[in-house]
Amino acid sequence: MGFFWWGIFPYIVGTILIVASVYRFVFRGTSWHAPSTEIFEKKWLRIGSLLFHWGILFAFIGHVMGVLIPIEFYESIGVTDHLYHFGAIAGGGIAGLMVVIGLIILLIRKFSNPRVKVHASFADYFTVIWLIVVAGLGTYMTLVYNTTVVAYEYRVTIGPWFRSLFTLQPEYELMTAVPLLFQLHVLSSFILFAAIPFTQLIHMFSFPGRYATRAPQQYRARDGYKNSRQ
């Protein structure tokens, strides 16, 4: 089973992500967006969205530093294990809390505001709830497990395994001894990536490259130009 989860499953997820995203872009291009519900409610959307987006940005940077950058690099520049883990716990903990709190606010908003609720689909609820699961596990690992159990050195197991996926020679055996909590966090993250093409998260792959050169949007008053000038 270890070979499947850590040697095959990631490639299944990658295939779904790429193929389904391309299909949606080519055949369902008009759905490649995340419709805003700001017109229905602004206050809590602004708070929750800002917390989530800034938190996920910081969390992404932290994952790059911890998973994609080898431990040898930190050793070469004199960053000790203690210093690294202190920064990871402090920075990662803050980022994780921002993501979780922001998502909870957005979820409560979807349930409590009738106008927002009626426009929310199953995919919308799944996205927010599953993001809470993924971020919640990561935050718990950072703030609780790493401070009360042990500061787990994922840079010698999860990091090398993840990087080996890009060479098509997955070192799946590195993941067999990883604590269950970390394994669940990784697997739940992969499930989230597989769901991206079927949810509004697809807009994360959009880049407004033509924004500066596109024609401006034109608005026309309902009662005509003259009445709009009065």
Side-chain angles (χ1 to χ4, degrees), residues 152-168:
Y152 181 68
E153 189 54 272
Y154 49 82
R155 293 179 298 170
V156 298
T157 54
I158 300 177
W161 162 76
F162 187 76
R163 294 193 297 272
S164 72
L165 295 176
F166 296 97
T167 65
L168 302 182

Side-chain angles (χ1 to χ4, degrees), residues 69-81 153 155-156:
I69 299 179
I71 189 174
E72 292 78 12
F73 171 80
Y74 294 100
E75 294 174 345
S76 67
I77 62 175
V79 177
T80 64
D81 293 344
E153 189 54 272
R155 293 179 298 170
V156 298

Side-chain angles (χ1 to χ4, degrees), residues 55-71:
I56 205 71
L57 175 61
F58 295 144
F60 173 77
I61 294 173
H63 280 71
V64 170
M65 295 175 62
V67 177
L68 293 181
I69 299 179
I71 189 174

Side-chain angles (χ1 to χ4, degrees), residues 89-201:
I89 291 173
I94 294 174
L97 287 174
M98 289 175 65
V99 173
V100 172
I101 294 173
L103 288 169
I104 291 176
I105 291 174
L106 294 176
L107 184 62
I108 293 175
R109 176 177 176 270
K110 287 183 182 295
F111 278 114
S112 61
N113 190 298
R115 292 192 297 174
V116 176
K117 183 177 182 178
V118 75
H119 286 85
S121 64
F122 170 80
D124 297 330
Y125 287 110
F126 170 83
T127 299
V128 177
I129 292 174
W130 201 254
L131 276 168
I132 292 176
V133 171
V134 176
L137 284 171
T139 305
Y140 180 84
M141 287 157 39
T142 301
L143 294 179
V144 179
Y145 188 94
N146 283 337
T147 58
T148 61
V149 181
V150 63
Y152 181 68
E153 189 54 272
Y154 49 82
R155 293 179 298 170
V156 298
T157 54
I158 300 177
W161 162 76
F162 187 76
R163 294 193 297 272
S164 72
L165 295 176
F166 296 97
T167 65
L168 302 182
Q169 295 179 331
E171 300 178 18
Y172 66 93
E173 63 278 358
L174 292 174
M175 292 295 295
T176 56
V178 171
L180 178 61
L181 193 63
F182 288 78
Q183 292 181 342
L184 291 175
H185 178 63
V186 173
L187 289 176
S188 61
S189 299
F190 273 109
I191 293 174
L192 179 66
F193 275 101
I196 285 177
F198 312 100
T199 67
Q200 293 183 11
L201 287 176

